[in-house]
């Protein structure tokens, strides 16, 4: 039995809270793509936890968490995150966390290449500068260094020398940048290797055995469908496939193991970095959404661009992910607005536009066709049932269901774990 949780906007939809919520009925929680350019912020009983690589299921004592082969792992960030969780009294042991031996590493030269490339670019993508893109480039070019390589000093050191020499050539000769300082590699010594060694495993086989034993597995995506390298707003995307189809590639389980797919979306829309954003608000309403929704990146702290809900983009994401139910987050952020608008269609050069255009230059020019609905003023953060919501809030949720063709089964009305309405549980449906 398995459930996949994916973002179906431009990321930052609140997947961490939904994963944490569903983990209660899961035995294993798996991250299948991305790197530490993603971040989940969870509030549990008033305490804040921030995750970058480790699945948020680690907050549950009896769960196994897995970092799959599709993730690019910065060992320094990973160990820092482990230490931070330990300080918050969350045990991170090999019995609770496993890392795929086939996952690729992010190394210092990846970060230098990423930052130099972004600063030299004429049109910035909005990368976080964490080295994720260059790490995936090396993976596809077959020169990447994997966790398994790191565990064998002779193999790791030789590959590290070769790759650093190549990176420094690009930095100094092509990018007019400084080479990677030698001391950047000092932490990658025996101590770091031996610390991570007990966590390394053949996670594909681990997941296969878990599913064969009838255990419940929760697959956790990072970023969002509109940032998918194939199906998103290219080139303003991330460097991995963020969609459900990558669960198999990023974990080593067959596609037949995929059960329900929960698409997580906000009651409005945000994105970080460059790229087209048809419903973006540049006015006081956009700022109000940013302030009330605390729309600042968990990884970078960057302010997020805010706008109205975009049903066209979400329908696109629903289709490519095979979404079976929706988890709607931050509905409470809309309270107090006299009216709420939502995009139900696009027009391009005066003509109706079917779906999301493949060219970002065209998507940048579309005019959103919007529908206006009444808002509500009552505080909904204490609501725990569908019936407890104000009429206008229920009407808005029903509008979303009709606009995207998928039922809303979970509604978040606040940042805390308990501030949630569950109409139907995805694991029950699975």
């Amino acid at each position: 039995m398995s459930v996949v949780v994916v973002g179906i906007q431009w990321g930052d939809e609140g997947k961490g809270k939904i994963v944490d919520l569903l983990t209660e009925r899961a035995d294993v929680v798996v991250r299948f793509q991305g790197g530490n350019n993603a971040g989940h912020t969870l509030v549990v009983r008033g305490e804040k936890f921030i995750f970058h690589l480790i699945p948020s299921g680690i907050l549950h004592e009896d769960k196994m968490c897995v970092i799959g082969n599709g993730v690019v792992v910065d060992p320094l960030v990973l160990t820092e995150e482990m230490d931070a969780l330990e300080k918050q009294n969350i045990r991170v042991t090999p019995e609770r966390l496993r890392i795929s031996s086939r996952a690729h590493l992010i190394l210092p030269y990846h970060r230098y290449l990423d930052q130099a490339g972004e600063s030299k670019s004429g049109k910035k993508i909005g990368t976080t500068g964490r080295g994720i893109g260059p790490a995936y480039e090396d993976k596809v070019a077959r020169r990447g260094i994997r966790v398994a390589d790191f565990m064998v000093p002779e193999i790791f050191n030789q590959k590290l020398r070769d790759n650093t020499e190549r990176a420094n050539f690009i930095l100094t000769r092509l990018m007019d940048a400084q080479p990677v300082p030698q001391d950047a590699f000092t932490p990658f010594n025996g101590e770091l290797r031996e610390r991570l060694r007990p966590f390394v495993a053949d996670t594909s086989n681990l997941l296969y055995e878990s599913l064969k034993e009838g255990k419940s597995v929760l697959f956790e995506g990072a970023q969002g469908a509109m940032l998918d390298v194939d199906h998103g707003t290219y080139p303003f995307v991330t460097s991995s496939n963020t969609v459900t189809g990558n669960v198999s590639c990023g974990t080593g389980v067959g596609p037949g193991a995929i059960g329900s797919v929960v698409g997580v979306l906000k009651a409005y829309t945000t994105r970080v970095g460059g790229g087209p954003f048809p419903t973006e608000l540049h006015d006081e309403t956009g700022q109000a959404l940013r302030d009330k929704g605390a729309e600042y990146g968990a990884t970078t702290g960057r302010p997020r661009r805010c706008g109205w809900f975009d049903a066209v983009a979400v329908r696109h994401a629903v289709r490519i992910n095979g979404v079976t139910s929706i988890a709607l987050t931050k509905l409470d952020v809309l309270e107090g607005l006299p009216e709420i608008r939502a995009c139900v269609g696009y027009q391009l050069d005066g003509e109706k536009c079917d779906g999301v255009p493949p060219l970002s230059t065209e998507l940048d020019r579309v005019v959103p066709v919007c529908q206006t609905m009444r808002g509500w003023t009552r505080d909904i953060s204490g609501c725990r049932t569908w019936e407890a919501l104000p009429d206008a809030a229920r009407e808005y949720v029903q509008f979303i269901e009709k606009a995207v063709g998928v039922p809303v089964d979970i509604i978040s009305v606040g940042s805390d774990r308990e501030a949630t309405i569950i109409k139907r549980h995805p694991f029950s449906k699975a």
Side-chain angles (χ1 to χ4, degrees), residues 99-265:
I99 307 162
S100 172
S101 56
R102 290 176 166 84
H104 281 248
L105 296 183
I106 297 173
L107 292 158
Y109 52 79
H110 291 129
R111 294 195 300 274
Y112 278 79
L113 287 167
D114 197 359
Q115 292 163 14
E118 182 76 351
S119 63
K120 194 175 179 65
S121 172
K123 190 169 186 178
K124 297 182 185 299
I125 299 296
T127 171
T128 60
R130 264 57 173 183
I132 280 76
Y136 276 115
E137 287 179 40
D138 278 359
K139 175 180 178 177
V140 174
R142 296 164 296 188
R143 58 174 169 263
I145 300 178
R146 302 188 299 176
V147 171
D149 300 320
F150 186 40
M151 294 299 111
V152 183
E154 297 79 13
I155 295 175
F156 173 71
N157 290 334
Q158 182 59 55
K159 288 190 172 187
L160 185 66
R161 282 193 295 270
D162 293 345
N163 286 4
T164 303
E165 183 179 345
R166 177 183 177 277
N168 281 338
F169 178 86
I170 294 172
L171 286 165
T172 58
R173 301 292 184 88
L174 302 180
M175 292 183 167
D176 194 27
Q178 294 297 311
V180 185
Q182 190 58 41
D183 60 7
F185 300 100
T186 302
F188 293 85
N189 55 25
E191 184 177 343
L192 180 60
R193 178 183 295 109
E194 295 311 312
R195 179 176 181 187
L196 292 179
R197 188 182 297 279
F199 295 87
V200 179
D202 179 349
T203 54
S204 171
N205 189 59
L206 183 155
L207 294 172
Y208 173 78
E209 293 295 335
S210 296
L211 289 164
K212 191 169 73 170
E213 293 168 9
K215 292 183 177 178
S216 298
V217 179
L218 181 62
F219 296 99
E220 169 186 349
Q223 289 99 20
M226 299 306 293
L227 293 176
D228 184 273
V229 69
D230 284 303
H231 303 285
T233 50
Y234 191 90
F236 300 94
V237 293
T238 192
S239 300
S240 62
N241 287 108
T242 61
V243 295
T244 306
N246 196 30
V247 168
S248 291
C249 295
T251 64
V253 302
I258 298 173
S260 297
V261 180
V262 179
V264 186
L265 60 86

Side-chain angles (χ1 to χ4, degrees), residues 45-66:
R45 291 183 292 276
E47 186 173 6
K48 182 185 288 187
F49 298 87
I50 297 178
F51 297 90
H52 300 290
L53 285 168
I54 298 174
S56 51
I58 199 76
L59 295 181
H60 296 256
E61 184 67 28
D62 58 341
K63 313 299 180 182
M64 168 65 75
C65 292
V66 174

